[in-house]
């Protein structure tokens, strides 16, 4: 392994601009003559719009234009779309209400977009927005997904607020497993609603060139080509060849920047309308109100065991909150990203899941780090832990007994696990966590009047999303390949143009490591270009831990073509048959001779084209590739959380957190560990602190950092992170993906630890000090009663 | 409009600004020093931290006119003579950043922390002192390591006064 090749913890190339304040985020971009957009948002969760009076706003100083839903409709701008069709179990297609860019006739959540003011300065736009007068006819709010059926109708297209009633698995076989079970464990679970909160709020600058009739949209996107596709083909702002989308440095996404939102659409549309650049930057309150939220499941789940402790069946019924509109990929999250993972790491013969997706008067809910897989992991890992406790089994050994050990393994819920070694990860995690010392540490805590508990989470996820035909058969409206182009310059430097997008993932370093490794050139001579539809040929973007397994595989495939072409050129230069040329460590040699030429010289020869017939061999050295995965990838691991609870205050301290993950081959362990740290922190946030709350009137009462508890440095411990490696067989690099693992694995590990400490299961996420204090009191009360 | 004059990263600057202009707006929009970021509107996240007369402040809740005559240092003013400040270098060495958005505020806070608490910082102190800076990417693990190293390296390489 070279110092900068595959497997090396190379320091990041992109860091220099970020640590010196020279990054280029969207809000750092100003265009000449730019105007500013500010949105007038609904203060009501659910209301008809009887009238909108914008006259005073229009007369306000500096105002250029005020637009409402009527203006959007008059321009025949299409509505926002949901790109994944789900069919209910009766075969009917999901019932999707219209999702206008600016509200038409009705608002459906607090923060819904009613009008936009465009003015010379942001302050003038904000001042004018306050002068818009809307006559609302307030309707009953529907904030609670569990009570959505039978409540006020959010969309006429969806009676009873039911979007779909979907199912997966063999109900009869599963019911039979439960009928003959020796033990059944049952749980009611709420997967709490989260607000993603990347530190960079969303932003957009729409820019229109009337000379070429071209729109350029600078936007905080994880997938600029998908944004262009949707804005062109579905919303109809401009055809793709007249529409450039640029996503420069983007400050975190975690899913929330996948989606195509109203604000970015309005900036692109209005820029042409007023023939001036239009800029919008979300403030944090707007981000809380109108970024797509995550999770929000209410689930009843059961697990069946035989007398020997073998799991024989799992069944779950879930109510999934879609919010007020179906966001871009919302429908896929509680269905195909959720139920196929309910098998966990276990050999379970029968699984059946039912999911009722409902509309409510809350912000749209869509993919947030993990997307469906954390919800599935929470179900199966809470069930496994509780089943072990109820039957008097050690939770680690109970899991081990049920692990899948033979690969490939076909689960009863779609997925074919390709490779893994779950027992080794468990062993390593037990060792790192000093599991043998738990009893002594519990006793030491008890001696101080504290409660100590340990919780496990043996997670699996499906990522590397995904084989296009497979997801197409499940309802996806797009293919989920990735594209790459390798441009070798005449002096041997290389530009990689990738459809993946880095918003923290470190692609400028890790992708360069692959190229350096393959071509034997310095990573300083490689640049990674992403985030610009005019530069990169195509792309599906970054989410679902796919940039390594899918994005880098596309680069690898293009590099194969570069190597093949370069060998032909080298053959001509070295006057040898192409078949006799070997390429290693950046050098082309003729087999059995000392004749050699380095990569840069071959590049130059490819462009000079003096040594070969340009009719027989094309000059130049540039290749592109599309990589369509052959399977999902299956990262898995074992996380162990150890907490100490102060029963007098309810404060939970995470004393130890151990993660042993199998991500297949690692490109850059430093970066992989960083991804795991961040994921764990978000999962600990979900388990202990974070929770979006709407009141009965549908007002979001957690709409600032004063009210929504983000994990701070002093809430978290340092983490013990390690890996094992079973190379993924379905891509050329053997990598599985690491971006979401921490967020998927950690919530059940934490809650299992807390319930272990409390001695009962009655605690919901987030396990805030107030909730834990109440739960700890209950324990004391129960003990006294006993 | 009001006249405001201050020294930013060693350079005298002045402008006529709307009285409600915040220091962060003055830095970002008037001076185009866009390394200082805005991540929230309640003074919680710390992406906007700069040094005002040598002390860390949140520039999103400081009026530009209140800084008349002051010395301001931003993330762009931390490196000298093409050499990274030890705290900047420590963040790269320890993978203390991912998306980079919170990073300028983190680094400015960290330098201020060392100025106040010295060069030998334990994990508890660092974590406690980071209460006013939110990072969503790193889980803070590597930020804590970065600051510990940066603090030690600042002792070895005394910095010019701001």
């Amino acid at each position: 392994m070279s110092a900068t090749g595959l497997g090396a913890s190379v320091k990041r190339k992109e860091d220099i601009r970020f640590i010196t304040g020279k990054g280029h985020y969207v809000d750092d971009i100003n265009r000449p003559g730019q105007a500013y957009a500010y949105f007038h948002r609904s203060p009501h969760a659910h209301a008809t719009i009887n009238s909108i009076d914008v006259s005073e706003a229009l007369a306000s100083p500096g105002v250029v234009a005020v637009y409402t839903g009527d203006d959007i409709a008059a321009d025949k701008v299409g509505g926002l779309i949901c790109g994944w069709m789900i069919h209910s179990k009766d075969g009917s297609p999901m019932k999707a209400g219209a999702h206008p860019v600016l509200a038409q006739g009705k608002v459906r959540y607090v923060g819904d977009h009613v009008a936009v003011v465009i003015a010379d300065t942001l302050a003038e736009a904000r001042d004018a927005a306050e002068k818009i007068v809307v006559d609302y006819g307030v309707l009953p709010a529907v904030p609670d997904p569990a009570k959505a059926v039978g409540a006020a109708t959010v969309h006429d297209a969806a009676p009873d607020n039911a979007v779909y009633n979907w199912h997966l698995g063999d109900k009869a076989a599963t019911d039979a497993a439960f009928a003959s079970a020796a033990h059944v464990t049952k749980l009611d679970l709420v997967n709490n609603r989260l607000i993603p909160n990347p530190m960079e709020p969303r932003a957009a600058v729409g820019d229109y060139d009337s000379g070429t009739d071209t729109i350029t949209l600078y936007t905080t996107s994880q997938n600029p080509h998908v944004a262009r596709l949707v804005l062109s083909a579905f919303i109809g702002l401009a055809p793709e060849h007249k529409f450039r989308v640029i996503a420069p440095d983007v400050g975190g996404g975690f899913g929330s920047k996948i989606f195509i939102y109203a604000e970015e659409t309005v900036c692109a549309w209005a820029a042409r309308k007023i023939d001036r650049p239009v800029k919008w930057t979300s403030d944090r309150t707007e981000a809380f109100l109108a970024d797509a939220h995550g999770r929000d499941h209410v689930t009843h789940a059961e697990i069946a065991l035989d007398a020997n402790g073998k799991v024989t069946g799992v069944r779950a019924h879930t109510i999934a909150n879609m919010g007020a509109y179906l966001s871009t990929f919302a429908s896929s999250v509680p269905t195909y990203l959720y139920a196929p993972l309910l098998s966990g790491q276990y050999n379970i013969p029968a699984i059946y899941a039912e999911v009722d997706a409902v509309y409510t008067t809350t912000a749209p809910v869509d993919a947030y780090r993990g997307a469906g897989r954390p919800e599935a992991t929470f179900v199966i890992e809470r069930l496994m832990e509780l089943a072990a406790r109820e039957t008097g089994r050690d939770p680690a050994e109970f899991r081990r007994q049920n692990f899948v050990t033979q690969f490939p393994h076909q689960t009863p819920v779609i997925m074919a696990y390709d490779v893994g070694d779950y027992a080794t990860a468990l062993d390593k995690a037990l060792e790192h966590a000093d599991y043998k010392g738990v009893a002594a540490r519990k006793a030491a805590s008890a001696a101080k009047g504290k409660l100590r508990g340990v919780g496990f989470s043996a997670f699996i996820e499906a990522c590397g999303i995904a084989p296009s035909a497979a997801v197409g058969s499940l309802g996806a409206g797009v293919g989920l390949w990735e594209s790459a182009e390798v441009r070798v310059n005449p002096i041997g430097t290389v530009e990689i143009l990738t459809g993946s997008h880095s918003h923290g993932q470190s692609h400028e370093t890790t992708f360069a490591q692959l190229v350096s490794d393959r071509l034997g050139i310095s990573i300083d001579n490689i640049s990674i270009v992403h985030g610009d539809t005019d530069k990169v040929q195509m792309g599906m973007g970054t989410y679902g831990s796919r940039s390594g397994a899918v994005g880098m595989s596309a680069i690898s495939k293009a590099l194969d073509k570069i190597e093949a072409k370069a060998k032909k050129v080298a053959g001509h230069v070295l006057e040898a048959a192409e078949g006799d040329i070997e390429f290693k460590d950046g050098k082309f040699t003729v087999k059995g001779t000392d004749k050699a030429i380095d990569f840069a010289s071959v590049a130059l020869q490819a462009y000079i084209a003096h040594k070969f017939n340009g009719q027989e061999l094309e000059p130049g050295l540039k290749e592109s590739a599309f990589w369509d995965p052959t399977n999902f990838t299956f990262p898995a691991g074992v996380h162990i959380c150890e907490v100490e609870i102060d029963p007098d205050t309810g404060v939970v301290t995470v004393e130890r957190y151990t993660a042993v993950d199998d991500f297949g081959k690692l490109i850059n362990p430093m970066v992989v560990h960083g991804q795991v740290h961040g994921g764990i922190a978000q999962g600990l946030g979900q388990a202990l602190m974070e929770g979006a709350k709407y009141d009965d009137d549908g007002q979001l009462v957690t709409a600032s950092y004063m009210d929504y508890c983000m994990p701070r440095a002093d809430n978290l411990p340092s983490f013990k992170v390690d890996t094992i490696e079973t190379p993924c067989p379905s891509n050329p690099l053997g990598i599985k993906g690491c971006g979401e693992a921490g967020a998927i694995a950690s919530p059940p590990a934490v809650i299992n630890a807390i319930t272990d400490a409390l001695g009962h299961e009655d605690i919901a996420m987030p396990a805030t000090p107030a909730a834990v204090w109440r739960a700890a009191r209950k324990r004391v009360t129960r003990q006294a009663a006993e | 409009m009001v006249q405001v004059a201050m020294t930013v990263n060693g350079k005298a600057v002045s402008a006529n600004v709307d009285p409600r202009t915040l220091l962060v707006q003055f830095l970002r929009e008037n001076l185009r020093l866009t390394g200082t970021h805005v991540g929230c509107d309640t003074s919680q996240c710390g992406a906007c931290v700069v040094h005002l007369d040598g002390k860390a402040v949140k520039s999103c809740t400081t009026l530009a006119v209140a800084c008349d005559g002051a010395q301001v240092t931003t993330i762009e003013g931390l490196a000298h003579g093409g050499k990274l400040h030890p705290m900047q270098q420590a963040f790269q060495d320890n993978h203390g950043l991912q998306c980079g958005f919170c990073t300028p505020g983190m680094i400015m806070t960290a330098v201020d922390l060392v100025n106040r608490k010295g060069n030998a910082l334990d994990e508890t102190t660092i974590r406690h002192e980071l209460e006013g800076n939110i990072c969503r990417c790193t889980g803070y693990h590597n930020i804590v390591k970065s600051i510990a190293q940066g603090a030690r390296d600042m002792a070895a390489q005394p910095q010019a006064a701001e």
Side-chain angles (χ1 to χ4, degrees), chain A residues 384-405:
Chain A
M384 289 297 286
E385 193 87 11
L386 182 54
R389 288 173 190 165
E390 285 181 348
T391 59
R393 293 180 162 89
D394 177 82
E397 296 314 307
F398 174 59
R399 284 178 169 84
R400 188 194 305 277
Q401 177 191 351
N402 284 286
F403 278 158
V404 171
T405 54

Side-chain angles (χ1 to χ4, degrees), chain B residues 58-72:
Chain B
K58 288 183 171 170
S59 62
C60 74
T61 29
T62 305
L63 288 166
V65 292
C67 304
D68 195 51
Q71 300 273 340
V72 175

Side-chain angles (χ1 to χ4, degrees), chain A residues 11-12 19 25 27-28 30 196 199 283-285 674 678 682 690 706 711-714 716 718-719, chain B residues 20 28-29 32 35 39 41 44 88 92-93 95 97-101 123 127 131 136-138 140-141:
Chain A
K11 288 182 202 170
R12 299 203 319 168
I19 59 181
Y25 301 90
D27 190 46
D28 301 340
N30 283 342
M199 293 319 297
D283 61 33
R284 183 55 62 183
T285 305
Q682 286 180 358
E690 298 178 40
M706 309 288 279
R712 264 70 164 189
D714 59 354
L716 302 175
S718 285
F719 311 113
Chain B
R20 61 182 160 178
R28 289 181 55 82
E29 301 299 330
R32 296 300 291 152
D41 22 66
Q44 299 281 302
Q88 291 172 313
Q92 188 191 28
D93 289 349
H95 190 29
L97 61 149
Q98 290 178 25
C99 83
F101 194 80
E123 180 174 343
R127 286 183 180 275
E131 268 247 322
R136 192 56 150 170
C137 293
T138 65
Y140 305 98
H141 181 107

Side-chain angles (χ1 to χ4, degrees), chain A residues 11-12 15-16 18-22 25 27-28 30 123 127 195-197 199-201 250-252 254 283-285 368 503-504 506 670-671 674-675 677-678 681-682 690 705-706 710-714 716-719, chain B residues 18 20 28-29 32 34-35 37-42 44-45 75-76 79 84 88-89 91-95 97-104 107 123 126-128 130-131 133-142 144:
Chain A
K11 288 182 202 170
R12 299 203 319 168
D15 281 348
I16 298 301
F18 295 136
I19 59 181
T20 55
K22 300 291 171 60
Y25 301 90
D27 190 46
D28 301 340
N30 283 342
D127 289 346
I195 302 178
N197 276 301
M199 293 319 297
E200 178 204 28
V250 172
F254 315 113
D283 61 33
R284 183 55 62 183
T285 305
Y368 166 62
H503 29 281
S506 318
M670 174 191 83
V671 165
Q675 291 291 312
H677 297 154
Q682 286 180 358
E690 298 178 40
Y705 288 146
M706 309 288 279
M710 292 279 280
R712 264 70 164 189
D714 59 354
L716 302 175
S718 285
F719 311 113
Chain B
D18 189 338
R20 61 182 160 178
R28 289 181 55 82
E29 301 299 330
R32 296 300 291 152
T34 55
H37 296 151
V38 179
C40 74
D41 22 66
T42 50
Q44 299 281 302
C45 84
I75 188 70
E76 290 93 341
L84 293 175
Q88 291 172 313
Q89 186 62 56
F91 269 70
Q92 188 191 28
D93 289 349
N94 294 282
H95 190 29
L97 61 149
Q98 290 178 25
C99 83
F101 194 80
C102 77
T103 310
I107 291 175
E123 180 174 343
I126 294 171
R127 286 183 180 275
H128 180 69
L130 286 183
E131 268 247 322
N133 292 73
I134 304 176
C135 169
R136 192 56 150 170
C137 293
T138 65
Y140 305 98
H141 181 107
N142 286 339
V144 172

Side-chain angles (χ1 to χ4, degrees), chain A residues 93-98 106 108 148-164 322-326 357-360:
Chain A
M94 66 186 186
K95 297 181 175 68
K106 198 173 174 189
R108 293 181 173 87
V149 174
T153 302
V154 181
H155 288 274
D156 291 340
D160 271 339
N161 295 320
V163 182
Y164 53 74
M322 296 283 98
Y325 302 97
L326 291 186
V358 296
Y359 277 127
T360 59

Side-chain angles (χ1 to χ4, degrees), chain A residues 6 83 122 255-256 292 434 468 511 529 545 569 678 681:
Chain A
L6 296 176
L122 177 59
S256 69
D434 185 25
S468 297
F511 288 13
V529 179
S545 306
V569 175

